[in-house]
């Protein structure tokens, strides 16, 4: 495989998954490990990616965020597994906060028929909740067009009227030092406030979010239980030194 073909292969996989593993690239390209390492180094110099242990993650502007439509078609199976596990923690009579986001959106179908109350800042979420005849409230405030999330000062004031048994929060980045992050400061502030109003907080993030750090910090890893699809045992052991982890069994 030519150098340009390998680069295109790596970039396409990064765009699709958010991260790539060194040995997977060796196998799919039929190239040597040293060749792939050299490719990753070249692409890192170009600003396309960032090398991490065992592979690379997509290099990106810390303030850029995918739209809700783009998110909804990315890592779909992983998100469904995470959503199902998250929904299994909800018990009858719970009052929960459901953060705007594609993985929290996947939770809704698994909540069908439950006797619960849901508060959300997701426009798509409240429509789906109502369609399933679930008791639902939506926060007031400014709507963010790309993510269909309600944010801003009014939303922060509005959420103070509620108390939650559990809060389910989405995050764009899961980083050992920087904690949970998102590209938008207003969203980060609302997520942080929801956490402070909940007895328990769960962060829903697929493995492609690992080692990513974005513009606005939500809170530290220790401030909530991380629900994630399967990751390498060595990575899990490191994360578990910082927080509790619920891992989807595939």
């Amino acid at each position: 495989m030519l150098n340009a073909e390998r680069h295109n292969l790596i970039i396409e996989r990064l765009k699709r998954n958010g991260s790539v593993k060194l040995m997977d690239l060796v196998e799919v390209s039929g190239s040597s490990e040293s060749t792939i390492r050299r490719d990753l180094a070249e692409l890192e110099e170009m600003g396309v990616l960032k090398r991490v242990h065992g592979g690379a993650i997509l290099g990106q502007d810390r303030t850029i965020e995918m739209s809700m439509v783009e998110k909804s078609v990315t890592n779909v199976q992983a998100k469904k597994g995470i959503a199902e596990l998250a929904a299994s923690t909800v018990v009858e009579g719970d009052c929960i906060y459901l953060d705007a986001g594609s993985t929290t959106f996947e939770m809704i179908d698994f909540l069908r028929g439950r006797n619960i109350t849901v508060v959300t800042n997701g426009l798509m979420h409240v429509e789906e909740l109502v369609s399933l005849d679930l008791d639902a409230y939506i926060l007031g405030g400014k709507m963010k067009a790309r993510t269909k999330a309600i944010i801003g000062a009014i939303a922060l004031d509005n959420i103070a009227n509620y108390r939650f048994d559990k809060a389910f929060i989405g995050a764009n980045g899961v980083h050992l030092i920087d904690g949970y992050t998102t590209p938008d400061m207003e969203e980060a502030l609302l997520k942080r406030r929801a956490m402070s109003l909940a007895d328990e907080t769960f962060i829903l993030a697929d493995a492609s979010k690992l080692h990513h750090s974005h513009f606005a910090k939500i809170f530290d890893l220790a401030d909530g239980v991380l629900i994630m699809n399967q990751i390498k045992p060595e990575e899990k052991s490191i994360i578990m030194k910082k927080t509790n982890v619920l891992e989807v069994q595939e």
Side-chain angles (χ1 to χ4, degrees), residues 81-90 107 111 166 168 202 204 227:
I82 292 166
E84 184 174 12
L85 181 55
S88 73
T89 68
V90 178
M107 277 184 67
L111 298 173
K166 299 177 180 76
F168 297 93
F202 298 89
L204 282 58
I227 303 181

Side-chain angles (χ1 to χ4, degrees), residues 12-20 74-75 206-209:
E12 285 303 312
R13 286 185 165 242
L14 279 168
K15 286 181 177 179
R16 185 167 65 248
N17 302 318
S19 63
V20 290
T74 305
N75 299 329
D206 64 77
S208 70
K209 310 289 177 65

Side-chain angles (χ1 to χ4, degrees), residues 26 38-39 113 139 157 162 175 193 237 240 242 244 247:
V26 168
R38 186 167 59 250
D39 288 336
L139 300 179
D157 184 62
Y162 302 101
H175 194 278
R193 186 67 173 128
S237 65
M240 288 188 72
K242 299 273 188 175
N244 292 325
E247 189 178 25

Side-chain angles (χ1 to χ4, degrees), residues 4 12 23 34 37 60 62-63 65 67 72 88 105 107 113 125 155-156 176 197 207-208 210 215-216 235 240:
E12 285 303 312
M23 297 315 297
S34 60
R37 286 186 187 278
Q60 59 181 338
R62 289 173 183 256
T63 63
E65 184 167 15
S67 70
S72 66
S88 73
F105 181 82
M107 277 184 67
H125 295 55
L156 279 169
L176 288 173
L197 296 169
S208 70
L210 273 177
F215 174 66
E235 287 189 316
M240 288 188 72

Side-chain angles (χ1 to χ4, degrees), residues 167 180 195 200-203 219-227 242-245:
Y180 300 110
M195 179 272 289
E200 295 180 274
T201 298
F202 298 89
I203 298 84
F219 40 69
D220 292 327
L221 294 185
D223 290 326
V225 176
L226 175 61
I227 303 181
K242 299 273 188 175
T243 189
N244 292 325
V245 179

Side-chain angles (χ1 to χ4, degrees), residues 12-100:
E12 285 303 312
R13 286 185 165 242
L14 279 168
K15 286 181 177 179
R16 185 167 65 248
N17 302 318
S19 63
V20 290
K21 296 179 180 178
L22 175 65
M23 297 315 297
D24 288 346
L25 293 173
V26 168
E27 182 178 352
V28 74
S29 68
S31 304
S32 68
E33 187 174 333
S34 60
T35 296
I36 297 300
R37 286 186 187 278
R38 186 167 59 250
D39 288 336
L40 294 178
E42 290 172 358
L43 290 170
E44 185 175 44
E45 286 183 9
M46 296 163 59
V48 174
L49 55 80
K50 178 182 178 182
R51 285 182 293 171
V52 296
H53 180 70
I57 58 175
L58 188 63
Q60 59 181 338
D61 188 324
R62 289 173 183 256
T63 63
I64 292 176
E65 184 167 15
M66 289 190 293
S67 70
M68 187 64 177
V69 173
E70 290 170 327
K71 289 180 179 181
S72 66
V73 295
T74 305
N75 299 329
V76 176
Q77 287 308 118
K79 289 177 179 179
K80 285 184 181 294
I82 292 166
E84 184 174 12
L85 181 55
S88 73
T89 68
V90 178
V91 298
E92 292 296 293
D94 266 355
C95 297
I96 69 171
Y97 178 75
L98 209 58
D99 185 32

